[in-house]
Amino acid sequence: QVQLVESGGGLVQAGGSLRLSCAASGLTFSNCAVGWFRQAPGKEREFVAHITRSGGNTYYTDSVKGRFTISRDNAKNTVYLQMNSLEPEDTAVYYCAADYFTLTHKPNYWGQGTQVTVSS
């Protein structure tokens, strides 16, 4: 079965950095677009970043542009989210999600999430 497993979350002070990983199994990873989403307490889940199958194109929500970088290593079936200059507003559970070929608004495959907490 398909599994997406996030790791790398934790507690960090404002201005700090974290790198999240999403390890995939059970699918042909190089044929999948992958995204990161997040959900803060009391808020709806929101899109953060997206990377295409080959990694040639990346997309970000405005609030993280210039601070977050999404990348992938298809040989390792892993997608990363490098988060720099973290702000308390980035506190959320971060999820990776995948779809074959093109990432949709409601991806088919989801991980269980990893908590990121940014203290002020």
Side-chain angles (χ1 to χ4, degrees), residues 96-119:
C96 70
D99 273 322
Y100 276 103
F101 306 114
T102 302
L103 196 70
T104 67
H105 291 296
K106 292 184 178 181
N108 283 309
Y109 308 110
W110 289 88
Q112 82 289 348
T114 186
Q115 176 71 47
V116 171
T117 303
V118 184
S119 64

Side-chain angles (χ1 to χ4, degrees), residues 36-40 44-48 61 63-64 67-68 89-95:
W36 285 96
F37 295 77
R38 66 186 180 186
Q39 188 166 19
E44 293 188 353
R45 190 175 297 183
E46 65 171 352
F47 165 79
V48 175
T61 192
S63 63
V64 308
R67 301 188 298 122
F68 290 12
E89 293 73 23
D90 296 316
T91 295
V93 178
Y94 283 71
Y95 300 88

Side-chain angles (χ1 to χ4, degrees), residues 23-86:
S25 60
L27 41 68
T28 306
F29 186 70
S30 59
N31 284 343
C32 291
V34 181
W36 285 96
F37 295 77
R38 66 186 180 186
Q39 188 166 19
K43 295 186 177 181
E44 293 188 353
R45 190 175 297 183
E46 65 171 352
F47 165 79
V48 175
H50 160 205
I51 189 165
T52 53
R53 288 174 285 163
S54 67
N57 289 292
T58 57
Y59 306 91
Y60 301 90
T61 192
D62 285 347
S63 63
V64 308
K65 285 180 181 177
R67 301 188 298 122
F68 290 12
T69 303
I70 188 171
S71 61
R72 68 189 294 161
D73 184 339
N74 284 346
K76 295 182 178 180
N77 285 5
T78 301
V79 167
Y80 305 96
L81 186 68
Q82 178 67 44
M83 306 187 296
N84 298 329
S85 302
L86 282 162

